[in-house]
């Protein structure tokens, strides 16, 4: 039993490291893409005259911002869930009721994470669309 518990804990730790790595990568990519594109387009270095591209650019910026917000909310939800579970577990160790996970917390975290990743992909796709559309129109 102890070996199975250790394997389970190692598996959970590995999954957590992968999630942290993925979220950090998305934060870095989103933040970098926002910084560079806002600097280029809002700073006047690049002019967009096509209204469709301009609207796509605006939507992409919002999508990247929303993805950062959703993934931050997912991480905060994980921290709150784990803290609350730890407190319930401590009470159980002190003779209280059995510590339990609540499925709504898991669904909230998964929903926030999936939405964050999808919105991130949409924002990056939008930026790529604008960049390629701008290059086609200027060359």
């Amino acid at each position: 039993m102890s070996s199975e518990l250790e394997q389970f804990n190692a598996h959970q730790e590995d999954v957590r490291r992968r999630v942290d790595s993925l979220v950090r990568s998305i934060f870095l990519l989103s933040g970098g893409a926002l910084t560079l594109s806002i600097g280029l387009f809002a700073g006047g270095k690049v002019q967009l005259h096509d209204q469709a591209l301009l609207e796509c650019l605006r939507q992409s910026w919002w999508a990247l911002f929303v993805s950062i917000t959703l993934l931050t909310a997912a991480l905060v939800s994980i921290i709150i869930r784990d803290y609350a579970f730890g407190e319930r577990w401590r009470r159980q160790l002190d003779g209280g009721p059995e510590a339990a996970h609540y499925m709504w917390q898991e669904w909230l975290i998964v929903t926030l994470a999936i939405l964050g990743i999808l919105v991130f992909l949409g924002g990056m796709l939008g930026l790529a669309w604008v960049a390629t559309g701008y290059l086609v129109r200027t060359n």
Side-chain angles (χ1 to χ4, degrees), residues 52-90:
L53 287 179
L54 188 57
E55 186 57 32
C56 183
L57 180 65
R58 288 183 184 135
Q59 295 300 319
S60 297
W61 285 345
W62 277 111
L64 292 173
F65 171 76
V66 169
S67 75
I68 291 170
T69 304
L70 287 169
L71 291 171
T72 299
L75 289 178
V76 168
S77 298
I78 289 169
I79 292 167
I80 291 170
R81 177 205 60 193
D82 291 350
Y83 175 79
F85 180 74
E87 287 299 307
R88 289 190 303 272
W89 193 1
R90 185 178 54 77

Side-chain angles (χ1 to χ4, degrees), residues 19 22-23 26-27 30 63-64 66-75 77-78 105-123:
V19 167
L22 175 65
V23 170
I26 291 174
F27 285 160
S30 293
L64 292 173
V66 169
S67 75
I68 291 170
T69 304
L70 287 169
L71 291 171
T72 299
L75 289 178
S77 298
I78 289 169
Q105 292 171 324
E106 305 302 324
W107 282 105
L108 174 66
I109 292 165
V110 169
T111 301
L112 289 170
I114 289 172
L115 287 174
I117 290 169
L118 291 175
V119 173
F120 163 75
L121 292 172

Side-chain angles (χ1 to χ4, degrees), residues 37-53:
S37 64
I38 289 172
L40 285 173
F41 291 103
K45 295 176 185 164
V46 176
Q47 297 292 321
L48 276 181
H49 301 291
D50 184 322
Q51 283 304 113
L53 287 179

Side-chain angles (χ1 to χ4, degrees), residues 86-104:
E87 287 299 307
R88 289 190 303 272
W89 193 1
R90 185 178 54 77
R91 284 193 295 274
Q92 176 186 338
L93 293 173
D94 291 339
E98 182 177 336
H101 274 314
Y102 300 114
M103 284 307 295
W104 68 268

